Amino acid sequence: MKAIILIGGLGTRLRPLTCGTPKPLLPVLNKPFILYQIELLKKYGINEIVFCLAYLSEEFKRFFGTGKKYGIKIHYAIEKSPLGTGGAIRNAAKFIDSSALIMNGDVFSYVNLKDLVNFHKRNNAKATITLVKVPDPCHYGLVETASDGRIKRFLEKPSVDEITCDTINAGVYLFEPEIFDKIPGDTVYSVERGLFPKLLEEKSRFYAYIYSDYWIDIGTTEKYLKVHRDLMERFALKTPDKIGKGVEVNGRVITGKNVKIGSFTRISGFVCLGDNVRVGKGCSLSDCVVRNGSRISDNCDVKTALIGQGCVIENNVTINPGCAIGDGTVIRKYSKV
Ligand code: GDD
Ligand code: MG
């Protein structure tokens, strides 16, 4: 079976981090996010993957090439301009001749793909989507199902008064090849707003597979920080032994290669530092991600924030909760942002 990964979105809710790096290549615990998805696919024997690309497609090609280094074969389906989730899938149809697995490129999960395939076959389904329960369905595609697993209603980004259940589209689908023919070619089209309601109208065999383990869409700055926190906890990652003389750690920290942290710096909560990051003396870092090559000078205070690549944070700077600092930013001494 082949998989299709949708990775052509602009990642607007993760700007400025996505200005130079597409969302699926942003690191999570210092590893490009999409590699977690590829690991999941490989675990279930799926080694041939179609990448649906639009935004920053060259970055993916540069990183993956043919995919051989990662033990996969990649087909590139590149849109001239973004065609939406449906248009992107349609554009990948040329590589598909049997049932195909489709994934949003920004969801982390442990979906049992073998179970999903069996469920799909058992129901003789034409399309199956995976659902997960969340407390805030309005940010997702709300899905109502019948007791036999058939989908009754699909409503993308419902308003608060339209919420009737807590199950949402987890962004992991299984389509029979004929489903691809239902999507118009070469035009912007959304599976969520176009295809799924259409399948319901046509009374197609459209089913929901329920998943209940860890799931997250990393598409906002809050969620991107949260996935770091959750995975550090879940994998029980240990703070490296040689973290720096006189550094106080009260939580978890992971570091890339060649990281240096000055004395009297305090680290709390969940902190992830990329390769070649420098942190000065007397700083306080709490719940933050700092990408490769950034420098934080002495006596800085960084809380619940994201710092892009190659930034220079001069001494005595305060970075307040919710800040996302773009690649290459210089913040002058004593600034409060
Ligand atoms: N190739 C291509 N072209 N990919 C695209 C395009 C496009 O024009 N637009 C979006 N994508 C990709 C994104 O890169 C992302 O991986 C995926 O499609 C979903 O797009 P998002 O922009 O992240 O959508 P969302 O998070 O608001 O909602 C979607 O995901 C939710 C689950 O996380 C929907 O599928 C919801 O129904 C769902 O609940
Ligand atoms: Mg998303």
Side-chain angles (χ1 to χ4, degrees):
M1 179 180 282
K2 288 181 195 158
I4 294 174
I5 312 187
L6 300 175
I7 40 182
L10 300 173
T12 51
R13 290 162 291 180
L14 260 172
R15 283 178 183 156
L17 296 188
T18 43
C19 291
T21 310
K23 179 163 63 174
L25 287 182
L26 280 179
V28 167
L29 302 182
N30 290 336
K31 178 165 107 177
F33 177 71
I34 194 172
L35 293 183
Y36 294 92
Q37 293 189 315
I38 290 174
E39 276 166 17
L40 180 76
L41 293 171
K42 282 171 68 177
K43 178 176 166 195
Y44 291 98
I46 302 177
N47 304 310
E48 207 170 333
I49 306 173
V50 185
F51 279 8
C52 291
L53 300 171
Y55 179 61
L56 296 178
S57 58
E58 289 305 315
E59 298 293 315
F60 287 95
K61 284 187 158 174
R62 214 185 346 262
F63 188 85
F64 281 103
T66 60
K68 203 169 163 202
K69 190 172 157 206
Y70 297 91
I72 50 173
K73 181 173 181 190
I74 299 174
H75 300 281
Y76 291 98
I78 302 178
E79 299 140 57
K80 285 196 191 81
S81 62
L83 293 176
T85 48
I89 293 172
R90 173 69 203 220
N91 194 42
K94 49 185 176 280
F95 298 109
I96 301 299
D97 47 17
S98 58
S99 328
L101 188 95
I102 301 167
M103 264 165 52
N104 284 350
D106 60 349
V107 294
F108 184 102
S109 78
Y110 296 99
V111 173
N112 184 323
L113 302 178
K114 194 168 158 225
D115 258 15
L116 169 65
V117 171
N118 288 341
F119 174 90
H120 178 83
K121 283 190 186 150
R122 203 165 55 239
N123 287 305
N124 198 14
K126 293 291 175 216
T128 299
I129 66 176
T130 306
L131 307 190
V132 66
K133 288 186 180 191
V134 295
D136 51 350
C138 37
H139 303 293
Y140 306 99
L142 183 90
V143 188
E144 284 177 28
T145 47
S147 53
D148 62 354
R150 259 185 121 126
I151 296 177
K152 290 200 303 196
R153 183 165 175 245
F154 191 106
L155 187 59
E156 184 66 12
K157 311 274 163 32
S159 58
V160 178
D161 55 345
E162 286 173 315
I163 294 174
T164 48
C165 59
D166 59 358
T167 39
I168 60 115
N169 168 20
V172 180
Y173 321 135
L174 201 65
F175 283 5
E176 288 307 305
E178 62 246 53
I179 295 292
F180 292 80
D181 301 333
K182 294 183 185 288
I183 303 174
D186 296 322
T187 178
V188 177
Y189 189 78
S190 150
V191 282
E192 297 86 353
R193 295 177 199 275
L195 178 72
F196 295 158
K198 181 168 152 175
L199 293 181
L200 291 173
E201 236 173 71
E202 291 176 356
K203 301 199 172 8
S204 295
R205 297 192 68 83
F206 184 25
Y207 281 81
Y209 170 80
I210 313 275
Y211 166 74
S212 54
D213 196 351
Y214 182 71
W215 180 91
I216 193 169
D217 171 328
I218 63 151
T220 63
T221 47
E222 292 76 22
K223 295 280 173 66
Y224 181 63
L225 268 180
K226 184 171 167 19
V227 75
H228 279 84
R229 207 159 52 223
D230 292 347
L231 295 188
M232 276 196 217
E233 232 166 21
R234 189 167 181 125
F235 301 155
L237 291 179
K238 294 235 165 48
T239 301
D241 292 338
K242 292 189 190 106
I243 190 77
K245 229 171 142 191
V247 176
E248 187 188 316
V249 178
N250 192 357
R252 293 185 199 276
V253 54
I254 72 150
T255 56
K257 288 179 225 130
N258 188 31
V259 169
K260 294 204 170 69
I261 308 177
S263 49
F264 304 112
T265 282
R266 279 166 297 127
I267 294 184
S268 60
F270 301 85
V271 170
C272 176
L273 307 175
D275 294 346
N276 303 310
V277 166
R278 294 279 180 281
V279 180
K281 295 178 194 158
C283 293
S284 166
L285 305 183
S286 148
D287 292 320
C288 55
V289 175
V290 183
R291 291 198 60 195
N292 295 353
S294 282
R295 236 161 229 282
I296 299 175
S297 309
D298 297 345
N299 305 317
C300 289
D301 190 354
V302 183
K303 215 176 265 141
T304 321
L306 300 167
I307 298 181
Q309 308 185 73
C311 293
V312 177
I313 316 295
E314 294 185 352
N315 57 272
N316 295 77
V317 165
T318 302
I319 299 183
N320 282 302
C323 280
I325 312 289
D327 294 350
T329 302
V330 177
I331 303 185
R332 295 295 182 201
K333 55 189 171 192
Y334 294 98
S335 300
K336 292 185 171 51
V337 295

